[in-house]
Amino acid sequence: MIGINCKIHDRNTLEFKIGYQVPEGTAFNDFEMCTWIYIPEALDVNRHTYSRENFYRDMLSYMRLITPVYPLEMLAHSAELPYQLLEKACKTIVAQPTKQNQVDYEKEIKSYASIFKSSLRDTCKHLVTVEDSRLPILVMQMVEQIRQVHHNYRSLFEYLQKNGLDSSLMIYFTYGDEFLVNTTEQHLFKMLKRMKEDRPMMYKKILPMVSVLMDENKQYAQQHDYMLPEEDSPDDNAQFVYHAGQLKKYMESHLYLPTHKRRNAVFLEQVVFSLAAGLSMVFATVISFAFQQTYGNFTLPFFMALVISYMFKDRIKELVRNYFANRLSSKIFEYRININVDDMKLGWCKEGVDFLTSDKTNPHSLKVRNRHSPLVIGRGTEEQIVFYRKKIHLNRKAVGKMSAYPLQGVHDIIRYNLYEYMRKMDNPQVPLCVNHGDGEMEEVQGNKVYYLNFVFRLKDAHNKLYRRYRVCLSRVGILNIEEIE
């Protein structure tokens, strides 16, 4: 299976998360992602002003394992796999603090914390959509489940301290404990904020239940000297933001997959360049032989012919190189990315990018783009189209060996910076006139916005789906993103 989520990462950057799920019973899985970016002509982003090097510079892509899915209700039970693996790792490190056991102990702490984060996030997202009659009961259940998860984890904390685990190893468990505190605060606050904005009456009902847990969480953090955000922080909580970010990256580091990126089809590229050199040399040789036969050696016409033929030889070489390079770029992938963990090969990924014209663009992509307005298609100019494609090959057996948990597959997280698209935009606001009648007029400000359209085609062995996202942006940054059905 294959799916996609999109969100605004920061003012200038979009984030696309593509999930490649590898089903049981298959040895290898192949996936394909094609992206068409439809760009307004007014932004002057085209093959002459925005090269492939610019595109890859603005894109950050990395892969990570999909976090094992456990509902919060299951995670709260000590008989479930997450707690069982964590408990086993803690008892093993106390009995035998070997290097390998230390690695396993640290990994299980990260796994448990990451699973809790995903479980709580999904629970909070679900609760904001629950009908009013069921919401208070479900919120109360969530609060008790969070308390139980914290209790289970902290009971192992006490066990490690009681058995005299070295402080250099206790620090890892402390990091996990602090991460649980931060994650709880973060997601409960987001849920309450959303409820306050969209459902104020239900917000008032659930606030007492949630605030009690948040107060307990804060008190616990203060007792253990964990960093917390402050209202009157002298550095505007810069240290907390930095520390929380480092803690998050550390806790999720076991999910990220190391990759090695290199040029693809290097041999074919050299063959093409050699062919270009050969064709240009044929031209120069033919001219030289023809003038030599006509005028003989060591004559002025023969000398001039040699000079001119070599001048054209270099130009022909470059023209043929550029022709073949442009023709091949739309057919082959430019980069190959190997996904390896130690000596285990999980798979590979290939990627390529090019500018296309409408007549060379996938017809179904144009249909999904739905460019029907005369204001768009009747101005004598066309949208520019960037075509970015990826092919992913995954080894199901190797992915399964990565963890004792039942892993679903990998996430490909793509962050794309749109600053270059904003470089030539007009001022973000324009003055407008509102006529109230009878000579009464008022000046107001209007936002000057532009729209980019991203069309995705996601394909695996059994499914193919298209998704369209419209991005609203101005010179100050990205304003909104919405999926167009």
Side-chain angles (χ1 to χ4, degrees):
M1 294 179 62
I2 189 170
I4 183 171
N5 287 310
C6 180
K7 69 176 184 178
I8 299 173
H9 177 71
D10 59 38
R11 188 179 67 179
N12 297 330
T13 308
L14 294 173
E15 180 176 293
F16 302 96
K17 181 186 285 187
I18 301 96
Y20 304 109
Q21 298 188 24
V22 287
E24 293 283 354
T26 56
F28 300 97
N29 299 91
D30 290 300
F31 304 91
E32 183 182 287
M33 181 198 72
C34 294
T35 308
W36 293 268
I37 308 174
Y38 293 86
I39 309 166
E41 183 72 21
L43 299 184
D44 193 32
V45 176
N46 51 58
R47 67 170 66 250
H48 305 295
T49 62
Y50 190 67
S51 66
R52 293 186 182 90
E53 289 74 19
N54 293 139
F55 180 87
Y56 287 117
R57 178 201 63 195
D58 293 338
M59 177 167 288
L60 172 65
S61 177
Y62 51 90
M63 289 193 171
R64 51 168 284 179
L65 296 169
I66 296 176
T67 306
V69 178
Y70 283 87
L72 193 60
E73 181 182 5
M74 290 179 62
L75 193 62
H77 289 292
S78 59
E80 294 293 336
L81 185 62
Y83 181 81
Q84 289 294 311
L85 290 176
L86 180 62
E87 183 182 39
K88 179 181 177 182
C90 291
K91 291 182 177 179
T92 303
I93 195 67
V94 168
Q96 296 177 312
T98 63
K99 188 173 182 179
Q100 183 57 49
N101 288 340
Q102 292 176 21
V103 171
D104 295 338
Y105 160 76
E106 186 179 357
K107 182 179 179 180
E108 292 305 330
I109 292 171
K110 294 178 180 180
S111 297
Y112 191 85
S114 300
I115 292 171
F116 172 72
K117 177 194 169 185
S118 296
S119 299
L120 182 57
R121 178 199 62 206
D122 294 342
T123 301
C124 290
K125 283 184 177 180
H126 172 68
L127 288 177
V128 298
T129 64
V130 169
E131 59 188 32
D132 291 355
S133 59
R134 298 176 58 231
L135 183 62
I137 297 175
L138 294 179
V139 169
M140 179 60 73
Q141 290 176 353
M142 178 195 67
V143 168
E144 292 304 318
Q145 289 161 6
I146 293 173
R147 282 198 180 103
Q148 188 61 47
V149 171
H150 288 183
H151 172 75
N152 292 344
Y153 187 88
R154 290 163 187 169
S155 65
L156 292 177
F157 203 162
E158 296 172 0
Y159 168 81
L160 294 174
Q161 288 179 321
K162 189 179 298 183
N163 286 272
L165 187 66
D166 190 87
S167 59
S168 62
L169 296 175
M170 280 298 301
I171 190 67
Y172 299 124
F173 214 88
T174 303
Y175 286 152
D177 191 36
E178 185 176 6
F179 184 76
L180 296 186
V181 170
N182 290 351
T183 300
T184 302
E185 288 285 315
Q186 173 189 356
H187 289 292
L188 291 182
F189 174 75
K190 285 183 178 179
M191 184 192 71
L192 289 175
K193 182 181 178 182
R194 177 85 177 272
M195 294 293 295
K196 187 176 183 180
E197 293 171 351
D198 299 342
R199 302 162 69 181
M201 295 300 295
M202 296 309 300
Y203 166 76
K204 292 180 180 179
K205 285 188 177 182
I206 67 172
L207 179 61
M209 293 181 275
V210 178
S211 62
V212 170
L213 175 61
M214 295 183 72
D215 290 344
E216 293 172 0
N217 210 44
K218 179 182 178 181
Q219 185 178 5
Y220 180 86
Q222 291 173 336
Q223 290 174 352
H224 290 77
D225 293 326
Y226 296 155
M227 292 184 67
L228 292 170
E230 300 174 4
E231 186 175 1
D232 299 318
S233 171
D235 64 348
D236 294 326
N237 291 300
Q239 286 297 318
F240 172 80
V241 173
Y242 174 79
H243 179 71
Q246 293 296 104
L247 194 61
K248 177 179 178 293
K249 290 177 183 177
Y250 171 74
M251 283 298 157
E252 296 180 350
S253 60
H254 68 294
L255 297 172
Y256 290 91
L257 300 173
T259 58
H260 175 64
K261 188 173 183 177
R262 60 181 176 84
R263 294 284 301 183
N264 188 49
V266 176
F267 177 75
L268 179 59
E269 185 181 69
Q270 295 305 315
V271 170
V272 168
F273 290 165
S274 299
L275 179 61
L279 290 175
S280 65
M281 191 62 190
V282 168
F283 170 81
T285 305
V286 169
I287 295 296
S288 300
F289 285 172
F291 273 78
Q292 188 180 34
Q293 290 290 330
T294 305
Y295 297 103
N297 295 327
F298 307 110
T299 62
L300 181 60
F302 178 62
F303 173 76
M304 294 178 63
L306 282 177
V307 173
I308 294 173
S309 68
Y310 275 94
M311 289 169 56
F312 278 97
K313 179 182 81 72
D314 288 340
R315 292 302 89 212
I316 291 173
K317 179 181 176 181
E318 288 301 315
L319 286 173
V320 174
R321 280 184 58 168
N322 290 334
Y323 173 78
F324 279 115
N326 289 329
R327 296 282 292 184
L328 286 173
S329 64
S330 60
K331 306 295 182 183
I332 64 174
F333 295 95
E334 292 156 354
Y335 291 100
R336 178 187 174 100
I337 304 165
N338 292 320
I339 310 170
N340 300 328
V341 177
D342 298 326
D343 296 329
M344 192 183 304
K345 296 181 179 180
L346 271 66
W348 50 259
C349 168
K350 294 180 181 179
E351 61 179 351
V353 67
D354 198 12
F355 274 89
L356 299 180
T357 56
S358 293
D359 60 317
K360 294 182 179 180
T361 301
N362 180 285
H364 199 85
S365 170
L366 290 170
K367 183 179 179 181
V368 174
R369 164 64 184 94
N370 196 22
R371 188 171 52 185
H372 64 276
S373 171
L375 296 176
V376 177
I377 63 178
R379 301 187 308 125
T381 58
E382 283 203 45
E383 291 177 315
Q384 295 293 320
I385 304 172
V386 173
F387 178 47
Y388 174 64
R389 62 204 185 281
K390 267 190 172 183
K391 186 174 182 180
I392 295 93
H393 176 81
L394 293 176
N395 184 332
R396 176 67 182 88
K397 188 175 182 180
V399 171
K401 290 181 179 178
M402 288 295 299
S403 173
Y405 292 98
L407 296 176
Q408 295 183 339
V410 301
H411 273 141
D412 184 11
I413 301 173
I414 299 173
R415 291 179 182 170
Y416 188 39
N417 189 288
L418 300 179
Y419 177 77
E420 286 294 327
Y421 291 77
M422 307 171 194
R423 188 182 293 276
K424 296 183 181 180
M425 288 183 176
D426 293 337
N427 287 330
Q429 289 192 325
V430 295
L432 302 173
C433 173
V434 176
N435 187 353
H436 296 294
D438 298 326
E440 294 291 330
M441 289 172 284
E442 180 183 359
E443 182 178 299
V444 297
Q445 295 296 317
N447 291 331
K448 176 69 173 179
V449 299
Y450 301 80
Y451 292 98
L452 296 179
N453 283 273
F454 288 74
V455 175
F456 290 86
R457 184 184 71 191
L458 307 173
K459 183 180 177 182
D460 61 15
H462 306 289
N463 302 291
K464 178 166 62 174
L465 59 91
Y466 284 82
R467 292 288 185 269
R468 176 188 168 196
Y469 295 91
R470 187 172 68 175
V471 182
C472 177
L473 65 165
S474 72
R475 204 164 74 181
V476 298
I478 302 169
L479 304 178
N480 185 34
I481 182 169
E482 60 177 330
E483 184 174 358
I484 307 296
E485 298 292 342

